[in-house]
Amino acid sequence: MTSSTPIVIIGGGFAGLAAAVRLVDSGRKVLVLEATKAGGGRSRSFHDKVTGREIDNGQHLMMGCYHETLSFLKAIGTPIDQAIHFQRNLGLTMIKPGGGRIELACPPLPAPLHLAAGLLGMRGLGVLHRTAALRAGLMLQGEIMRPDDNETCDAWLRRLGQTQAVRGAFWEPLIWAVLNDDPLVASAAMLLTVIERAFMSTRDASRLAIPRLPLSELYVDRSVALIRERGSEVRFASPARQIELDSDGRVSGVILKSGETIATTEVISAVPPHAMLELLPAPAREDLVFRDVARLESSPIVNLWVSLDRPILDRAFVGLIASPLHWLWDRDRVEAGVDAGSRAAPSRGPSLLSVTISGARSFVNDQPEALRELFVGELGRFFPQGPTPEILGFRVVKEKRATISHAAGTYRRRPETRSPIPGLLLAGDWVRTGLPATIESAVQSGHDAAAVLR
Ligand SMILES: Cc1cc2nc3c(=O)[nH]c(=O)nc-3n(C[C@H](O)[C@H](O)[C@H](O)COP(=O)(O)OP(=O)(O)OC[C@H]3O[C@@H](n4cnc5c(N)ncnc54)[C@H](O)[C@@H]3O)c2cc1C
């Protein structure tokens, strides 16, 4: 094989494209194989006929602590300041049934004082509950309160003496959002990594960062252009069928579904776990590492896109307390970059709402009519004031395997970047990055794989 033989990267989502960009930047040749026509994987956008808009497969949120992602976006020339709206300070509005609000507004103090002050000053929550949250923060300093990966969030929050009210207003929305799983099963250790990274490091790390552009415009188109400019290749609608191994068990090529074989000794698999296993010859799947991968479970997300005759939110997004509809996003405000904490009056005219149902096991098999009924019911419960808005368009996007499940005890089954097969590196949000399966984990995994080959 010649030195010009490319590194084959299978998968054109955040992980694969981040790996490719790092490698072409250091002068390596890559060939990205992407199964679909447009790439982007679980973070993609497309034109939707029902709403008449360019929509994402689901609203994605980033944070100031997404350092790898921000460095990737800079590398591909995304104008960060225009493309992403950064909150000035961490702020959240949660709505209670009946329409009452609980507001977290962190002041501009150094971390973690900003969060402590924010929790203590939470409007709409009794003082007992606010001090319980603060006490949890102080207790985290002691080793004994650190969870291991076998402890669930639910058990841990009970150990930390968290009241039901503060769980509902702060902890549970956070868990559903970052772990995409039920607090009753999700790993507390995984939650703690997020708390430490996002809330305990710097004030900026905890700011929410909301993409204003459709996701494909944010990163797919730009990365593909850059990879091609550097003389490397990205092939869409080119699914890989199998990774070929030589008689010593080393990578020797990739066979495409079209029947073509590409000779290479270096492959980065940047596809989800089930797709990676399908790429392996059957005997290779017997390795313990891959058997653990086969035991990773997934957790769905259902996203509703609803065109309404008028806006119902007075800010970019809100959370609903104790509702299966976890977050509501006013897409027009998101695209305009209006601060999530802004109290500006709702604009007039039709409005596009995006609704996130995380860990949506109970809803992922529902028909659109049932989800529409659920939406209308929750709208009446949480926004009882004023006339009910008219639904002009209703679109459901289901992601059955949105992320791996972060159930307690899962982390040890996630594989390292270097696989047991010489020449095969593993990337994807689900590999062992120390993070939950998020964009940041995907990009980190791509950068880690590239670092091995550069
Ligand atoms: C609805 C939803 C909302 C989310 N919200 C957030 C959020 O707010 N914040 C956040 O950080 N994360 C969020 N996530 C998670 C985030 O989208 C993922 O962590 C990230 O997109 C994973 O990227 P990836 O590159 O690892 O995998 P993927 O995006 O799955 O990319 C894998 C690619 O491989 C391709 N592929 C598969 N098999 C083959 C094959 N045989 N040959 C060639 N190509 C193949 C696929 O088509 C795909 O393009 C959300 C996910 C979903 C689904």
Side-chain angles (χ1 to χ4, degrees):
M1 235 153 278
T2 66
S3 60
S4 64
T5 308
I7 298 167
V8 175
I9 299 174
I10 308 174
F14 262 112
L17 293 173
V21 166
R22 271 284 155 95
L23 286 165
V24 298
D25 261 351
S26 57
R28 298 291 316 258
K29 275 235 171 321
V30 304
L31 164 59
V32 180
L33 296 174
E34 164 55 42
T36 65
K37 282 191 197 146
R42 284 167 286 148
S43 305
R44 66 182 185 284
S45 48
F46 55 92
H47 184 77
D48 174 48
K49 286 194 187 123
V50 176
T51 54
R53 299 270 287 259
E54 191 73 12
I55 62 170
D56 297 336
N57 61 321
Q59 178 64 48
H60 281 64
L61 180 68
M62 307 198 256
M63 294 188 82
C65 60
Y66 275 34
H67 300 301
E68 298 287 326
T69 308
L70 293 171
S71 108
F72 165 58
L73 293 176
K74 268 185 209 144
I76 58 174
T78 304
I80 307 275
D81 292 342
Q82 288 124 57
I84 299 176
H85 175 72
F86 286 90
Q87 285 188 324
R88 263 189 298 274
N89 296 296
L90 174 66
L92 278 180
T93 298
M94 303 299 301
I95 302 194
K96 299 189 261 191
R101 291 180 174 212
I102 296 183
E103 309 224 22
L104 172 74
C106 295
L109 292 171
L113 282 182
H114 73 310
L115 184 64
L119 288 169
L120 260 186
M122 249 173 135
R123 263 181 299 179
L125 196 65
V127 69
L128 172 82
H129 310 295
R130 286 182 268 150
T131 46
L134 189 64
R135 213 172 43 243
L138 296 173
M139 283 159 92
L140 288 185
Q141 314 299 326
E143 270 307 301
I144 197 155
M145 284 303 171
R146 292 186 78 82
D148 69 21
D149 192 49
N150 291 318
E151 186 165 15
T152 64
C153 292
D154 175 65
W156 188 54
L157 292 179
R158 276 193 274 121
R159 259 200 318 134
L160 289 171
Q162 296 306 283
T163 64
Q164 202 48 49
V166 78
R167 284 178 64 137
F170 179 70
W171 291 109
E172 295 189 2
L174 176 70
I175 294 164
W176 285 107
V178 301
L179 301 183
N180 189 29
D181 228 328
D182 192 322
L184 287 172
V185 302
S187 156
M190 204 77 283
L191 175 64
L192 185 58
T193 61
V194 177
I195 294 172
E196 287 180 333
R197 244 182 215 234
F199 301 132
M200 312 293 241
S201 56
T202 64
R203 179 162 60 90
D204 277 356
S206 67
R207 294 191 303 160
L208 302 180
I210 310 170
R212 294 175 57 190
L213 297 178
L215 288 166
S216 300
E217 204 181 315
L218 184 80
Y219 81 98
V220 182
D221 306 348
R222 288 168 202 279
S223 351
V224 171
L226 184 137
I227 295 161
R228 288 178 174 157
E229 263 165 36
R230 303 281 160 90
S232 277
E233 216 184 323
V234 180
R235 286 201 216 167
F236 290 110
S238 299
R241 191 174 67 212
Q242 198 169 79
I243 296 169
E244 213 178 32
L245 308 185
D246 66 15
S247 53
D248 294 329
R250 295 170 179 277
V251 169
S252 60
V254 175
I255 307 169
L256 274 63
K257 285 207 174 143
S258 63
E260 183 188 351
T261 299
I262 294 159
T264 182
T265 52
E266 294 168 318
V267 169
I268 298 177
S269 162
V271 300
H274 62 281
M276 187 277 291
L277 291 172
E278 279 170 18
L279 289 169
L280 299 178
R285 284 181 222 149
E286 292 308 313
D287 189 288
L288 280 183
V289 169
F290 297 125
R291 282 209 242 162
D292 271 343
V293 171
R295 293 173 64 205
L296 292 173
E297 290 181 5
S298 52
S299 182
I301 296 180
V302 172
N303 217 95
L304 314 177
W305 289 91
V306 194
S307 293
L308 297 172
D309 65 343
R310 63 183 175 81
I312 56 164
L313 304 185
D314 62 356
R315 55 201 61 217
F317 73 97
V318 299
L320 301 187
I321 294 178
S323 167
L325 312 186
H326 293 116
W327 302 98
L328 307 187
W329 304 82
D330 180 323
R331 266 310 280 200
D332 304 298
R333 281 174 178 275
V334 165
E335 285 167 22
V338 179
D339 195 285
S342 146
R343 288 171 166 278
S347 52
R348 290 163 193 277
S351 156
L352 183 61
L353 196 70
S354 165
V355 182
T356 313
I357 309 179
S358 300
R361 289 187 185 85
S362 320
F363 303 97
V364 75
N365 295 318
D366 282 358
Q367 295 300 315
E369 299 72 42
L371 292 166
R372 187 177 167 131
E373 217 172 286
L374 172 72
F375 172 75
V376 171
E378 292 300 89
L379 207 60
R381 213 157 68 88
F382 285 86
F383 299 87
Q385 316 85 345
T388 310
E390 189 189 339
I391 297 178
L392 307 175
F394 190 83
R395 174 82 156 86
V396 179
V397 184
K398 292 178 179 176
E399 292 280 1
K400 291 197 172 175
R401 288 168 163 162
T403 64
I404 55 166
S405 159
H406 294 293
T410 297
Y411 191 70
R412 61 176 168 271
R413 296 196 200 123
R414 291 169 63 179
E416 306 281 357
T417 306
R418 288 174 196 271
S419 85
I421 298 175
L424 174 63
L425 299 167
L426 302 179
D429 59 350
W430 55 281
V431 308
R432 200 179 285 207
T433 54
L435 295 169
T438 50
I439 292 172
E440 179 68 358
S441 177
V443 175
Q444 165 92 60
S445 77
H447 287 169
D448 289 349
V452 175
L453 297 179
R454 271 198 295 175

